[in-house]
Amino acid sequence: MNRRESRPSAAPPGRPNPPSARALQRAGWRWREWLGSQGIAPAVFQQQAWRAYAAGKSGLISAPTGRGKTLAALGGPLIQAMAEEQTPRTAAVQGFRMLWITPLRALASDTRERITQPVAAMLPHWQVAMRTGDAGARDKRLSDTGKAQLLVITPESLAILLSHERSHAQFMDLRCIIVDEWHELLPSKRGVLLQLNLARIQALAPQARVWALSATIGNLRQAGDVLLSAWSGARPELIQDARPKPFHLHTIAPPLHTRLPWAGHLGLANLGEVAKLVFGTRSSIVFTNTRAQAELWHTALASIWAEDAATLAIHHGSLDQQVRLDVEQRLRAGTLRCVVATSSLDLGVDFPAVDRVIQVGGARSVARMVQRAGRARHRPGTAVHVDAVATQALELAEFAAVRELAQAQIYENREPLSLCFDVLSQHAMSMALAGGFDARQLYDEVRRTAAFRELSPAQWNSVLAFLEHGSDSLVQYPQYERLQCSQGFCTPANAAVSRMHRMGIGTITAHGAVSVQYLRGARLGTVDESFIARLNRGDVFNFAGRSLQLIRLENQTAWVRRSAGAGAHTATWSGSLMPMSSRLGARMQKLMYEAARSSAQGEVPPTRELQWLVPILSLQAQRSLVPDEGQLLIEQVGTQQDGKARPLFFYPFAGRVAHEGLAVLIATRLAQLHANTFSWACNEIGLMIQPALPISAQDVDWREIFRTGDLNDDLRTAVNFGELARKRFKEVAQIAGLVQTRVPGKKKPRQQSAAPGLRRPAVRRTEQI
């Protein structure tokens, strides 16, 4: 028997007979009886979802947070499973029956808690397991052996399971896949990886039905089409809860005619107001946008905390698993007065004991603000309320825009990515580990996904060449030979390649990290290596809500002990800031224009936030212009007579990510007219370009700079020579497998280059164009 014939067959040995209509009816009665015993009256959209599932359909369920999306998705599969188990079967069903995919470890743990009770009541012999980075030994054993009927899992852990040969037997009897918080995965490389894994599951279990859940997404139809792209010809059933859910946003801002900074502040000037809100309610979550900001706010609150210190906690993704789980458990139990958190708690996690959510700074999108607000009073029928702390002036306009859009339930579109070749190369390598693959068959399978629908044969061959010998760039380095292909059938080059690949599966890239651990005690989490490198032995720093003294740094571990004094340093991490959505930016711009116009006509703007901004907007209108929606304002500061190069300021209101690309494009095109050196800086509202040689804005043909012709070529040139490409190089290399980041039992330098002679350039802000 040759290797091609040895691949496990995807065809199952037997299936349960389809349940009868009477069996389905009896199972439906049992389900509704159990809901009634819990005091739950099924909503219309939940019943629609159960009927659609019974009809064999797949689709997307959209409902405001706290409305019961979990039960809407769970009811159909449970009714079907109960009915099937009342019907004589032709063969015993082995492996997974249902997958519940979540984007966050905290959400996975919370989901397992919520679904275990109804599953145990309806199907007491079912095993519910969780497979994430936080999973225990029992859960890992159940998932690895396929003995869990319902598995709660993250996209990365799903990719790991599918990279084993045993996945053919584990997944072939799968009945249902639930993708929670689909809007969070859709516009990212994690969503691309999940699409590829769903295509693999479709090949193993074509009978599986797929449903996604989302509370806040604008492009529902497109989201559903992408979800089911691997199921050729399947049209998603879109089910929405039409009942409005009130949204209230209260802004914490200084009195009128006082001053707020323009940027760069953390909002700690409002510490007193935040403390009043925290102490005025039973339990609160204070959301920040970064881990470092969370640490600083926790330290500030701890300095004025009048109650037991154990009632104040911090939660973010760099904390150790046990630290996070302890905080989550105490938050559910209602023993915490306040938790300072990042996005690690803002997706679908149920904390009924929490009565207030406070957002420090702008959340940068309508959907994110609504998601975070929904963590308070997470009970059906309750209004969504959030208190927002303005850390800088223009965040007041953001809060006004968020309130207006959220009340109208207008959310951002989540645009899916396409042709991410680093993710594709990783997936192809995973399929090689799972018993090998036929190159043509995998190409056809991959092209069924929305992300790779336009993949050409030449591009696919380039991916295989990259995996076989590092492509043309790395052909001289044998260590990059990861795949062996013979007569179109591909397998791993050796066992070491297989071990290393599984260590790097996923698209969440890791920067150089150092573990923080007590000399005698528990591990607290990780911080960036660059932060620890700035400290000396004996320095005190703030991390995990504690003041810690650095004792020594050894083998990528910072050994610490508690310090009685406050830390002079706060832990920092490298990472991408959350970009502001273009829809939110456009609405901010429109509101400020209308406020300036109404003020000029002697009218009072309708909201307190815009009233506060009137003096700033009036001054802007006197000295320059308050741009309307659809207008681009370009300003130049200084006078022509001083002889210095004056910076150019642009205000697209498109978010930091778009502004980074726009900055290098503008600099490239300006340099095409006159050779110059440029530096730039960006924020969510606009960007600044500083030339080395003087440029007069009046002398530039801006229509030529913003022409759409040759846009692709100029963007490619700008990115290839810009810092943007260098920022992303290591990330892409990690996903594609060029950079090894996690080696069990070994300590290796984190500044590993992708290949000899291809060291990652240092990031700098100035570009010679």
Side-chain angles (χ1 to χ4, degrees), residues 20-76:
S20 65
R22 184 168 181 79
L24 283 170
Q25 189 178 46
R26 286 198 299 266
W29 286 341
R30 279 189 58 198
W31 173 243
R32 286 173 172 79
E33 285 176 1
W34 181 84
L35 290 177
S37 70
Q38 304 298 308
I40 300 173
V44 172
F45 84 98
Q46 291 173 326
Q47 298 179 62
Q48 290 173 342
W50 303 336
R51 288 194 295 267
Y53 189 92
K57 296 180 180 180
S58 298
L60 191 152
I61 301 171
S62 176
T65 186
R67 281 288 175 81
K69 293 188 296 299
T70 299
L71 290 178
L74 188 63

Side-chain angles (χ1 to χ4, degrees), residues 109-372:
S109 178
D110 181 78
T111 299
R112 179 184 178 178
E113 293 290 329
R114 279 184 287 164
I115 66 178
T116 296
Q117 182 184 7
V119 171
M122 299 295 101
L123 298 161
H125 59 284
W126 269 31
Q127 296 272 16
V128 180
M130 181 179 75
R131 184 59 187 263
T132 70
D134 292 344
R138 172 189 173 275
D139 286 329
K140 290 180 180 179
R141 183 179 67 255
L142 288 173
S143 62
D144 289 344
T145 58
K147 292 183 178 179
Q149 283 73 40
L150 197 162
L151 186 62
V152 182
I153 194 168
T154 57
E156 291 73 26
S157 294
L158 175 59
I160 292 173
L161 288 185
L162 288 171
S163 72
H164 290 275
E165 289 191 60
R166 60 176 179 260
S167 64
H168 298 272
Q170 289 177 335
F171 286 89
M172 65 184 183
D173 283 307
L174 190 68
R175 293 290 182 271
C176 177
I177 305 168
I178 306 295
V179 183
D180 207 351
E181 307 292 349
W182 175 228
H183 64 275
E184 185 71 16
L185 296 168
L186 179 62
S188 69
K189 288 185 178 181
R190 299 182 75 200
V192 174
L193 181 63
L194 182 56
Q195 288 182 53
L196 291 169
N197 289 326
L198 289 178
R200 168 87 318 212
I201 292 176
Q202 194 279 335
L204 299 175
Q207 76 282 350
R209 302 167 206 176
V210 185
W211 285 86
L213 309 181
S214 178
T216 52
I217 191 168
N219 50 334
L220 277 176
R221 174 59 65 183
Q222 183 183 25
D225 289 339
V226 172
L227 176 75
L228 297 181
S229 56
W231 278 258
S232 302
R235 292 291 292 170
E237 188 82 2
L238 301 182
I239 295 176
Q240 294 180 264
D241 183 6
R243 297 171 297 171
K245 187 164 187 176
F247 176 85
H248 304 292
L249 186 151
H250 170 252
T251 297
I252 301 174
L256 294 176
H257 309 298
T258 56
R259 184 180 177 86
L260 265 177
W262 285 105
H265 290 255
L266 301 174
L268 290 172
N270 296 294
L271 178 62
E273 292 295 324
V274 171
K276 290 179 183 178
L277 293 175
V278 168
F279 289 125
T281 192
R282 180 179 59 174
S283 182
S284 304
I285 299 178
V286 177
F287 279 110
T288 66
N289 290 338
T290 67
R291 288 165 286 184
Q293 189 179 14
E295 292 282 353
L296 288 166
W297 263 91
H298 181 276
T299 301
L301 282 170
S303 68
I304 61 171
W305 200 250
E307 300 184 7
D308 184 356
T311 61
L312 174 66
I314 186 170
H315 190 289
H316 58 71
S318 290
L319 299 179
D320 186 70
Q321 170 190 348
Q322 291 303 319
V323 176
R324 288 184 282 106
L325 292 178
D326 177 66
V327 172
E328 293 165 22
Q329 184 58 40
R330 288 192 290 153
L331 197 56
R332 289 190 188 94
T335 60
L336 284 175
R337 290 296 302 275
C338 179
V339 175
V340 183
T342 61
S343 55
S344 59
L345 285 183
D346 70 4
L347 287 178
V349 186
D350 279 345
F351 298 117
V354 175
D355 289 317
R356 187 184 296 275
V357 164
I358 302 169
Q359 167 67 37
V360 178
R364 306 301 184 227
S365 84
V366 181
R368 189 176 297 114
M369 184 70 87
V370 172
Q371 286 279 356
R372 292 182 172 182

